[in-house]
Amino acid sequence: MKKLLVYIKEYRKECVFGPLFKLLEALFDLIVPLVTAAIIDYGIANRDKTYILQYGMGLVLLALVGLTCSITAQFFAAKAAVGFAANLRHALFEHIESLSFTEMDQIGTSTLITRMTSDINQVQSGVNMALRLFLRSPFIVFGAMISAFFIDVRAAIVFAVVIPLLAVVVFGIMAICMPLYKKVQGALDKVLGSTRENLTGVRVIRAFHREKEEEQEYCKENDVLAKEQLLVGKISALTNPLTYVMINMALVALLWTGAVQIDIGVLKQGQVIALINYLSQILVELIKLANTIVLSNKALACANRIANVLEVESSLEQKQKNFLAKELPEETGTQNAGIQDVGTQNAGTQNTTTQSTAASKQTVRGQVVFDNVSLCYQGAQEPSIEDVNFTANAGDTIGIIGGTGSGKSSLVHLIPRFYDATKGHVLVDGKDVRSVSLEELRGKIGIVMQKAVLFEGTIRENLLWGNENATEEDLEEALELSQAKEFVDKKQNGMDALIEQGGRNLSGGQRQRLTIARALVRKPEILILDDSTSALDYATDARLRKGIQSLSYHPTVFIVSQRTSSICHADNILVLEDGQVLAMGTHEELLKTCDVYAEIHYSQFQKETRQNQPGNGQMAESKEEVTDRKEGGAQ
């Protein structure tokens, strides 16, 4: 909790005035029994109506002043608690945004959602109660005991005995409950995770008729949560009965002692009434304190869970610091791309290009180099990518194909540093991606993820995510190139048409085309299409590729696909298998030299119709366009 107090610093004034006004209210509450005793002992005993009226008005005034102090204290406490929660929520969200995919995978989405919502709400309630009652209740308890000593020492001994016993009960229950509340929140995380998985994958669950199994699993996790909550609830519920029993026993002892003292003339009736009032105040305040402690236990448990997330440092930042602490080897760069090995495996054309690039030692914007790169996810036994070497020169189109789980997405995710390579170097424009800031690196890259993600809002607002300063012409051009303009123009409001969360009111192909348009609005130096045309038909896919090739700024394009028709025009195609580059070359070369590529291709296009397949004519045309584009770029 101490680590989170930094977010309440700007509310120091409220943190002082809130408890201060509560102490003033408590002070007026402690005066009330003394005024009541005076009315009984002097006003009623002497039948002095004027005295009774004057002191009665004094009680009304004390009530009004106490109410004003209470409202003021509540205002300051609420302002501080809400402001603290808002600052904490902002800081936590900003920190989560800074985490890499590795930490997101490790912590879990459901856990982060719980921290952002339920945990912060509990902390807010705990801070509010603490500012209002943590000082007021002890002040009332000890103030009542001191006042009792001023009235009668023998009667006040009852207070001196019962208060420590009550403290032992309250704080003992608190010590037991605190670790149990942590378990409850952990069980809640699992229930939320199960709920999220079931709602997200409801179609798959129904398709495989797994409703019963998922229901049983959910009930099992929910039962664990219920048992944990019942256990901590039962222990916490002991607070009120135990304190009531002890207070009532103290009340009996006080009445017995007071009656004797009245009988011998040491005490007056009003003083005994005052002592009973003080004991009643202690009872009420201890119940409030117990409830406050219960809420504080939950708040502390939740605060520790939030602090644990805030303490997680992004592995990208750690590796960047470690990388910058060491000097890069002189030969690391385009000249150290490790392409010699690749060149021996593949066509001489690629090797010649690489060697000439290495010799010139000149960096062109949009160049990407993988130098002996491996990636092993945290906790994984085997690397997902192993010893990958290739160079993508500026303006090149690189196709990446392979079976499910071969490491295609993992490979392209290393370019924008969604993950960091565990071995080797990934270089963009001749610089290791770990040596530049994420803002600078990702400013050069436009990526379309495997899952098309759109946000609730208009089409225009979604496109402006790519570049908030984009002009109307830029948006129109992006829609035209991505083949999305045809369905956008048909909508009633065009680009101002509303999109539901996740693009639920669009088809799969429409979602993919809009996400591609969003990336194109950015006008990136490097464009990554991670299996982002799977829902498009062959004709639309071909028009899309032709549009990308006609871009005036000639980005380096990485196309991850399961379809050979989407990558047959590429300058270089990587065939991945079990995280390794099995082969590399052009479409025609791989059909002759790589059995895996040929098998994938002929499974999609019959061998006997090879001359008429969607790839050949388009491929020849694309090659000419690529040549023209490169010549234009060189000029």
Side-chain angles (χ1 to χ4, degrees):
M1 185 68 182
K2 291 180 181 178
K3 296 177 181 178
L4 305 184
L5 294 179
V6 64
Y7 301 109
I8 204 171
K9 280 186 177 180
E10 63 182 276
Y11 296 98
R12 290 175 181 171
K13 180 181 70 174
E14 287 78 3
C15 291
V16 172
F17 284 133
L20 179 62
F21 277 97
K22 270 295 177 184
L23 290 180
L24 287 174
E25 180 202 358
L27 183 62
F28 294 132
D29 284 348
L30 289 174
I31 297 174
V32 168
L34 297 178
V35 176
T36 305
I39 291 174
I40 294 171
D41 291 337
Y42 301 104
I44 296 176
N46 299 328
R47 297 182 180 181
D48 188 343
K49 294 182 180 179
T50 303
Y51 189 93
I52 295 172
L53 184 61
Q54 289 176 345
Y55 275 76
M57 292 299 294
L59 285 178
V60 173
L61 182 61
L62 285 173
L64 290 174
V65 174
L67 178 62
T68 303
C69 290
S70 178
I71 293 173
T72 306
Q74 177 60 56
F75 169 76
F76 285 122
K79 185 177 179 181
V82 172
F84 168 66
N87 290 343
L88 183 57
R89 196 175 285 110
H90 281 302
L92 183 59
F93 184 79
E94 184 179 355
H95 181 72
I96 291 171
E97 289 287 290
S98 72
L99 298 177
S100 71
F101 282 16
T102 302
E103 286 75 45
M104 299 286 278
D105 296 340
Q106 183 181 0
I107 299 173
T109 306
S110 59
T111 300
L112 294 175
I113 291 173
T114 308
R115 302 291 192 277
M116 287 287 297
T117 53
S118 174
D119 286 350
I120 289 183
N121 289 339
Q122 290 283 3
V123 171
Q124 177 181 326
S125 298
V127 170
N128 193 353
M129 292 290 285
L131 291 176
R132 290 167 48 214
L133 298 177
F134 255 137
L135 287 180
R136 183 188 190 281
S137 294
F139 184 80
I140 287 283
V141 170
F142 289 105
M145 184 176 69
I146 293 170
S147 299
F149 272 102
F150 278 109
I151 294 173
D152 183 68
V153 175
R154 288 190 63 184
I157 292 175
V158 175
F159 289 76
V161 172
V162 74
I163 289 174
L165 292 176
L166 288 170
V168 169
V169 171
V170 170
F171 288 103
I173 291 174
M174 180 184 71
I176 296 171
C177 289
M178 186 175 290
L180 293 177
Y181 280 121
K182 291 182 181 179
K183 289 185 178 180
V184 168
Q185 292 298 115
L188 179 61
D189 283 345
K190 292 182 179 179
V191 171
L192 287 174
S194 178
T195 304
R196 180 177 176 274
E197 289 175 1
N198 282 311
L199 292 176
T200 305
V202 64
R203 296 177 186 273
V204 178
I205 293 170
R206 289 177 179 174
F208 289 91
H209 196 56
R210 297 277 300 179
E211 294 93 339
K212 290 293 182 183
E213 290 80 357
E214 291 300 324
E215 185 180 344
Q216 290 172 359
E217 184 66 26
Y218 177 83
C219 289
K220 181 180 177 182
E221 292 173 352
N222 198 35
D223 288 343
V224 171
L225 174 61
K227 288 177 182 177
E228 295 286 351
Q229 286 179 321
L230 285 172
L231 175 61
V232 71
K234 288 176 181 177
I235 296 173
S236 178
L238 291 174
T239 305
N240 282 358
L242 289 177
T243 52
Y244 268 109
V245 167
M246 296 174 72
I247 285 291
N248 284 310
M249 290 177 64
L251 183 59
V252 170
L254 181 61
L255 289 172
W256 179 274
T257 305
V260 172
Q261 296 292 85
I262 290 172
D263 190 53
I264 62 177
V266 176
L267 288 178
K268 297 179 180 179
Q269 290 92 335
Q271 291 176 317
V272 174
I273 296 296
L275 289 171
I276 293 173
N277 283 339
Y278 281 132
L279 196 60
S280 299
Q281 284 185 352
I282 290 173
L283 173 61
V284 171
E285 293 304 323
L286 281 174
I287 292 172
K288 288 181 181 179
L289 184 62
N291 292 330
T292 303
I293 289 172
V294 169
L295 284 175
S296 299
N297 284 341
K298 293 181 180 179
L300 287 172
C302 294
N304 290 332
R305 285 153 51 85
I306 296 169
N308 290 339
V309 175
L310 290 173
E311 288 171 358
V312 175
E313 188 176 351
S314 173
S315 59
L316 297 182
E317 294 179 4
Q318 292 173 345
K319 290 180 180 179
Q320 187 165 16
K321 290 175 184 176
N322 295 336
F323 178 82
L324 294 175
K326 298 186 293 183
E327 196 174 80
L328 265 175
E330 289 184 8
E331 296 302 316
T332 300
T334 52
Q335 70 273 21
N336 192 35
I339 310 302
Q340 290 81 0
D341 296 334
V342 178
T344 57
Q345 299 172 17
N346 303 286
T349 307
Q350 176 68 18
N351 192 32
T352 304
T353 304
T354 304
Q355 289 175 353
S356 64
T357 304
S360 64
K361 296 185 180 181
Q362 293 179 354
T363 302
V364 186
R365 293 173 69 83
Q367 186 186 60
V368 178
V369 176
F370 276 67
D371 178 15
N372 199 33
V373 172
S374 297
L375 170 66
C376 185
Y377 289 111
Q378 189 170 9
Q381 300 296 323
E382 298 291 334
S384 298
I385 298 173
E386 192 170 7
D387 299 329
V388 174
N389 293 280
F390 73 91
T391 292
N393 290 314
D396 277 357
T397 297
I398 306 296
I400 302 174
I401 196 168
T404 302
S406 59
K408 302 185 297 297
S409 294
S410 298
L411 182 70
V412 294
H413 283 176
L414 293 174
I415 301 173
R417 279 193 79 198
F418 292 153
Y419 297 94
D420 264 333
T422 50
K423 176 187 173 186
H425 301 279
V426 179
L427 299 101
V428 172
D429 296 344
K431 296 179 181 178
D432 193 296
V433 293
R434 289 167 291 186
S435 67
V436 297
S437 67
L438 289 176
E439 185 177 0
E440 179 186 348
L441 173 66
R442 292 175 183 171
K444 302 177 179 181
I445 299 170
I447 183 168
V448 184
M449 307 291 279
Q450 228 170 352
K451 181 181 178 183
V453 177
L454 294 170
F455 300 95
E456 184 178 1
T458 64
I459 293 175
R460 186 188 306 277
E461 290 169 344
N462 274 272
L463 293 179
L464 289 175
W465 270 73
N467 179 9
E468 60 184 9
N469 299 318
T471 63
E472 193 73 15
E473 291 75 17
D474 292 334
L475 299 181
E476 291 285 350
E477 182 186 10
L479 289 173
E480 184 74 39
L481 291 170
S482 65
Q483 309 304 307
K485 187 172 176 58
E486 55 181 286
F487 75 84
V488 172
D489 287 344
K490 291 178 183 178
K491 290 189 173 291
Q492 185 175 357
N493 298 318
M495 277 195 284
D496 294 316
L498 290 174
I499 297 177
E500 294 180 9
Q501 184 180 5
R504 289 192 300 263
N505 56 336
L506 300 175
S507 68
Q510 290 172 340
R511 286 197 297 268
Q512 286 188 338
R513 281 179 278 176
L514 281 182
T515 53
I516 293 171
R518 183 172 59 195
L520 292 175
V521 167
R522 197 177 186 86
K523 294 187 176 180
E525 296 176 21
I526 300 168
L527 177 62
I528 301 172
L529 304 178
D530 186 5
D531 201 15
S532 54
T533 60
S534 57
L536 304 183
D537 57 66
Y538 286 106
T540 306
D541 187 13
R543 291 197 301 270
L544 171 64
R545 287 187 281 110
K546 188 174 180 180
I548 292 174
Q549 289 163 9
S550 67
L551 290 171
S552 58
Y553 49 92
H554 310 311
T556 305
V557 183
F558 288 83
I559 301 177
V560 176
S561 182
Q562 299 278 9
R563 303 193 307 204
T564 57
S565 63
S566 296
I567 60 173
C568 62
H569 67 288
D571 300 287
N572 203 10
I573 299 173
L574 279 65
V575 183
L576 296 184
E577 187 173 43
D578 295 331
Q580 295 181 330
V581 178
L582 186 66
M584 185 188 302
T586 62
H587 175 73
E588 295 89 347
E589 292 167 351
L590 291 174
L591 284 178
K592 297 173 183 176
T593 61
C594 181
D595 294 338
V596 172
Y597 184 82
E599 182 181 350
I600 294 172
H601 180 72
Y602 291 129
S603 67
Q604 298 169 6
F605 305 104
Q606 294 298 323
K607 195 168 184 178
E608 57 269 20
T609 60
R610 182 178 175 185
Q611 298 301 323
N612 299 321
Q613 67 191 15
N616 284 338
Q618 296 164 5
M619 180 181 61
E621 181 185 4
S622 299
K623 282 291 182 183
E624 292 174 3
E625 291 174 354
V626 170
T627 303
D628 294 340
R629 174 164 44 84
K630 286 186 175 179
E631 290 175 355
Q635 293 172 1

